[in-house]
Amino acid sequence: MTVSEAELGALVGHEFPGGRYSIAHWENFLLTEATGRGPMPGDLAHPVHLFHVPIAGAGTSLAELFALGRAESDASITIDYYDWETLQPLREGVEYEVRGRITEHERTQPGAGPIVDALGFLFELSDPDGRPAARVAFRWHYWRWNP
Amino acid sequence: MTARVGDRIPGWTMEVVSDARMRTVAAILRDPNPVHWDRASTARLGLGDRVVNQSPISLSYIQNMLMECWGPTCIKRLRVRFPGVVFEGDRMKAGGVVRSTEVGGHPGALECEVWLEHEDGTRAIEGTAIVEPGPPGMLG
């Protein structure tokens, strides 16, 4: 049975535990290589880290985000949008403090199609001196094919 | 050279999207979604027999294009949607065009329309980027 709209709406405001994350050299090297370019200069981290560093740093995981939205399966989620704001370049070895929360829920059912629940997330990174480093927002669609 | 509205950003091409790279990324991201590493999963979903590239890695092709043009710290903001899917074996090209040279709160910044497209021109990603050109580059 499909999760109720009220149950998902109650997730708005949910805060993740928060925590710290430091990008390791091996991680930066391998992830940068996977993007198809050569290594980043110096200790700069590739900005693609703005996908998983906020999630892991805030003390959650992709699996938990899937579960919180009551995904029917790991493959039943699509992306609405990403909004990645870089306030200072990410660097290897810097211990970023990360906070994150769920910001919105919206249920739609276009036409005779399946129910789609959209959940919005916001994560904020700051450096060890407390200066903002990045602000990452995204919204996912959880498709309900089996009501 | 100063960037002007309408200037095209030199494109960046991923010649072949690699399933091996997807497996590396899935491990680093701890991404449980099997469509990135199990062809049987994509087949069950009616998506064919090729695995699906992770969205941030597809987005990174746009990031690479911007960094190649304006330097490794140029990207200030990326806002994108994903109208299409990128599969293993695809050849993808990132592109963009300067839309504004006046960006509130970012002196010297440029606002660009950016996209990632397949060989036939269909788009997998589209959105906007705000960049601050670093040391003199191709357009900055």
Side-chain angles (χ1 to χ4, degrees), chain A residues 21-30 45 49 91-94:
Chain A
Y21 196 100
S22 177
I23 300 167
H25 174 69
W26 67 264
E27 180 181 14
N28 188 28
F29 186 96
L30 290 177
H49 282 83
R91 296 183 184 279
E92 293 177 5
V94 174

Side-chain angles (χ1 to χ4, degrees), chain A residues 33-37 40-41 44 46-48 51-52 62 66 74-75 79-86 89, chain B residues 12 14 21 25 29 31-33 45 55-56 59-61 63-64 67 73 75-82:
Chain A
E33 193 279 335
T35 75
R37 63 157 282 158
M40 296 289 289
L44 287 175
H46 194 290
V48 74
F51 179 75
H52 79 290
L62 289 170
F66 293 175
D74 291 340
I79 300 152
D80 184 4
Y81 71 81
Y82 290 157
D83 183 354
W84 295 355
E85 195 171 5
T86 304
Chain B
W12 192 95
M14 170 52 75
R21 283 175 168 162
V25 171
L29 270 49
D31 187 344
N33 192 337
L45 293 168
S55 58
L59 179 56
S60 76
Y61 307 153
Q63 293 173 319
N64 287 348
M67 292 192 292
T73 63
I75 303 170
K76 302 308 170 190
R77 191 167 189 174
L78 267 176
R79 303 177 73 179
V80 294
R81 291 182 184 274
F82 295 74

Side-chain angles (χ1 to χ4, degrees), chain A residues 5 105-110 113-118 139 141-142:
Chain A
E5 190 169 359
H105 167 251
E106 180 184 24
R107 171 167 286 185
T108 56
Q109 187 169 18
I115 291 170
V116 182
D117 285 301
R139 198 165 106 138
H141 287 154
Y142 296 71

Side-chain angles (χ1 to χ4, degrees), chain A residues 65-82:
Chain A
L65 300 189
F66 293 175
L68 278 171
R70 302 281 291 274
E72 288 185 354
S73 74
D74 291 340
S76 65
I77 298 167
T78 58
I79 300 152
D80 184 4
Y81 71 81
Y82 290 157

Side-chain angles (χ1 to χ4, degrees), chain B residues 123-139:
Chain B
R123 290 188 176 182
I125 303 177
E126 54 191 15
T128 58
I130 294 174
V131 297
E132 286 182 10
M138 298 182 73
L139 291 177

Side-chain angles (χ1 to χ4, degrees), chain B residues 93-140:
Chain B
K93 184 166 186 179
V97 61
V98 177
R99 290 298 183 204
S100 176
T101 56
E102 294 179 12
V103 183
H106 295 274
L110 309 171
E111 183 174 302
C112 306
E113 179 187 349
V114 293
W115 60 83
L116 181 72
E117 63 186 18
H118 293 269
E119 282 187 291
D120 65 1
T122 57
R123 290 188 176 182
I125 303 177
E126 54 191 15
T128 58
I130 294 174
V131 297
E132 286 182 10
M138 298 182 73
L139 291 177

